[in-house]
Amino acid sequence: MDRRDEKKMRFNTKLLHGESVKQYPYHATIPPISQVTAFQFDSAEEQEKVFTHRAPGYAYSRVGNPTVAAFEQRINELEGGNAAIACSSGMSAIALAMLNMLASGDEVIAGSGLYGGTIDLFRDLRNFGIGVKFVRHVTPEEVEPFINERTKLIYAEVIGNPGLDVLDIRAVSELAHCRGIPLMVDATTATPYLVQPLRLGADIVIHSSSKYINGGGNSISGVIVDGASFKWDFRRYPALSDFSRYGPLAYTIRLRTDTWENMGCCLSPFHAFMNVNGLETLGLRMERICSNAEKIAGALSELPGIQVNYPLLPDNPYRELAMKQFGGRGGGILTFRAGSREKAFRVLNHLKYIVKASNIGDVRTLAIHPASTLYINSDEERQHAAGVYEDTIRISTGIEDAEDLIEDLTEAIVAAG
């Protein structure tokens, strides 16, 4: 394929015909499942070269597998990165991405409105001597006062889950780079369909690919994408010093051959295969999901006594940024406050089509009460910082007909009194 045609491809075409979609064995249109533990070699010399990373190839599926590699290559191409590394879950991707570069005594600045599981992980990182400073909003104005000589990373979600704060990627990355700090973002809720953070200045992108990328709710997985554009100061980042000869590639090389390999958080070939299948319809699904979310948010905001949070609502403080950064789309999550915890439970229990489940990014619309589930380990102050209250309900929209979803929610709210 002519490189010029590759660059002209739009999102959905690239999903099916991008450079990484090569001619697979037997002319298959998707990669086969290499469901094996180990790979055989013709000679001991060849095996040695592959094991010592001096030749391409696969030796053991914990450290490399063709099906997993095919998934990684397709994600990397969509994000415009240098390399992608797939992990066994989104949480393992976040943990490995940080442990790959941080050491005891380092500090991270992060938004207080993060997903509850990520906040729990930060609590665990303190046991490794890694400190975390939380700011209410990850903006240059709020972050800069907390930067000191120990600050080694700024971490944020592109669209907060469930607070729905929208990160100004370009503005925060410019501040981070001026201070010699990388910006790592969790783009799970945005997906490459809404934005490619590396193109706006982010250095490392995380996805819980169990969500929108997979789309079918059938595989747990995560992926780390490195842009390899950050200029590492290896005196400030001693964890990467042994890989300094690779320059900007040091982060990826250490992650692939050291941190990720040694901690064993590999993705199974079968789940990689399921992700490749789901990925091919990402654009179509996100188009419908975003449309449904905007319609539902608009309809619920007209109901008396219901407070709705969605980035594209006229009175939302992030509307202008979302319109600009995401091309007029607001993502597939919205939240609303029912009035009380008891009423929120009654609303959830009355739903007919919408499924009560903790995932997001499914083809089905899902609902959950975050305060009693995702944020059970957070105190009230931390919950409120994340946009979670006793009466908050989070909706992850699917691809059903918007009219049916609006009727389902409206009837449940009315029935709940």
Side-chain angles (χ1 to χ4, degrees):
M1 184 182 297
D2 192 310
R3 286 277 185 169
R4 292 171 294 181
D5 293 334
E6 166 74 17
K7 293 180 179 178
K8 290 178 182 176
M9 284 185 187
R10 293 169 177 81
F11 189 83
N12 287 305
T13 306
K14 184 177 286 189
L15 282 171
L16 298 173
H17 303 287
E19 184 181 351
S20 61
V21 186
K22 57 188 178 181
Q23 187 175 3
Y24 297 117
Y26 311 110
H27 304 287
T29 56
I30 56 175
I33 306 175
S34 298
Q35 192 67 37
V36 297
T37 301
F39 300 81
Q40 63 181 339
F41 293 87
D42 293 331
S43 69
E45 289 81 6
E46 179 189 5
Q47 188 176 34
E48 179 188 31
K49 288 179 181 179
V50 172
F51 261 81
T52 56
H53 307 290
R54 291 186 289 116
Y58 302 97
Y60 190 60
S61 279
R62 177 170 61 79
V63 297
N65 178 279
T67 314
V68 177
F71 170 60
E72 293 170 338
Q73 290 160 8
R74 294 179 80 160
I75 290 292
N76 187 59
E77 182 177 13
L78 287 180
E79 287 289 5
N82 174 72
I85 297 177
C87 305
S88 54
S89 69
M91 291 308 304
S92 68
I94 297 171
L96 292 178
M98 292 188 177
L99 293 175
N100 191 57
M101 57 178 289
L102 300 176
S104 180
D106 291 343
E107 288 184 353
V108 179
I109 296 177
S112 58
L114 295 173
Y115 165 64
T118 307
I119 293 175
D120 292 342
L121 171 64
F122 281 142
R123 189 179 297 116
D124 293 332
L125 288 180
R126 292 194 175 102
N127 295 328
F128 292 89
I130 299 170
V132 181
K133 291 183 177 178
F134 289 103
V135 296
R136 179 63 187 88
H137 304 97
V138 182
T139 63
E141 296 75 19
E142 292 196 30
V143 167
E144 188 163 26
F146 288 91
I147 296 176
N148 58 45
E149 69 280 357
R150 297 174 61 190
T151 306
K152 302 297 176 64
L153 178 67
I154 297 174
Y155 181 90
E157 293 174 347
V158 175
I159 303 177
N161 173 25
L164 303 182
D165 298 359
V166 177
L167 175 71
D168 188 333
I169 301 169
R170 191 179 299 280
V172 176
S173 67
E174 288 176 355
L175 167 66
H177 296 161
C178 284
R179 303 299 293 270
I181 304 168
L183 172 63
M184 182 184 295
V185 300
D186 183 335
T188 298
T189 49
T191 80
Y193 177 76
L194 266 64
V195 66
Q196 293 88 47
L198 297 176
R199 302 185 193 280
L200 297 180
D203 301 292
I204 300 161
V205 176
I206 308 291
H207 287 284
S208 174
S209 43
S210 320
K211 313 299 193 293
Y212 296 95
I213 287 173
N214 173 272
N218 55 49
S219 300
I220 298 295
S221 59
V223 63
I224 306 165
V225 187
D226 179 22
S229 59
F230 186 74
K231 297 180 180 178
W232 297 99
D233 180 345
F234 298 106
R235 293 169 298 180
R236 294 195 68 227
Y237 293 89
L240 299 175
S241 60
D242 287 347
F243 300 83
S244 60
R245 63 186 180 279
Y246 299 108
L249 299 176
Y251 181 88
T252 289
I253 300 298
R254 189 200 176 201
L255 183 62
R256 172 69 75 182
T257 64
D258 189 339
T259 310
W260 173 85
E261 179 177 322
N262 293 341
M263 292 193 175
C265 295
C266 58
L267 178 60
S268 78
F270 179 75
H271 289 154
F273 174 82
M274 296 301 290
N275 285 344
V276 170
N277 275 276
L279 183 63
E280 294 189 334
T281 60
L282 175 63
L284 296 177
R285 288 184 284 105
M286 287 302 295
E287 182 179 355
R288 180 60 171 258
I289 284 170
C290 292
S291 173
N292 279 354
E294 186 174 1
K295 290 177 181 178
I296 294 170
L300 295 187
S301 65
E302 296 178 0
L303 298 179
I306 300 297
Q307 301 178 38
V308 185
N309 182 16
Y310 185 67
L312 294 191
L313 288 176
D315 60 347
N316 191 285
Y318 296 104
R319 175 180 168 79
E320 183 178 349
L321 176 58
M323 292 291 289
K324 175 184 176 182
Q325 190 165 259
F326 305 142
R329 296 158 298 209
I333 297 177
L334 63 118
T335 64
F336 67 91
R337 299 184 63 180
S340 69
R341 174 189 174 96
E342 292 72 24
K343 185 175 179 181
F345 274 46
R346 290 200 297 271
V347 170
L348 289 168
N349 291 337
H350 197 273
L351 294 171
K352 295 180 297 183
Y353 306 134
I354 299 174
V355 179
K356 292 180 283 294
S358 61
N359 196 22
I360 62 172
D362 201 305
V363 290
R364 300 159 189 79
T365 297
L366 311 176
I368 197 169
H369 181 255
S372 63
T373 54
L374 306 175
Y375 285 83
I376 55 175
N377 294 323
S378 298
D379 58 24
E380 187 177 88
E381 180 181 359
R382 187 73 67 197
Q383 289 185 8
H384 291 180
V388 174
Y389 299 87
E390 282 295 299
D391 60 344
T392 298
I393 294 175
R394 185 192 73 183
I395 302 293
S396 170
T397 56
I399 63 172
E400 304 96 333
D401 292 301
E403 295 78 7
D404 289 331
L405 298 173
I406 291 170
E407 289 176 7
D408 194 13
L409 281 162
T410 302
E411 291 175 5
I413 290 169
V414 171

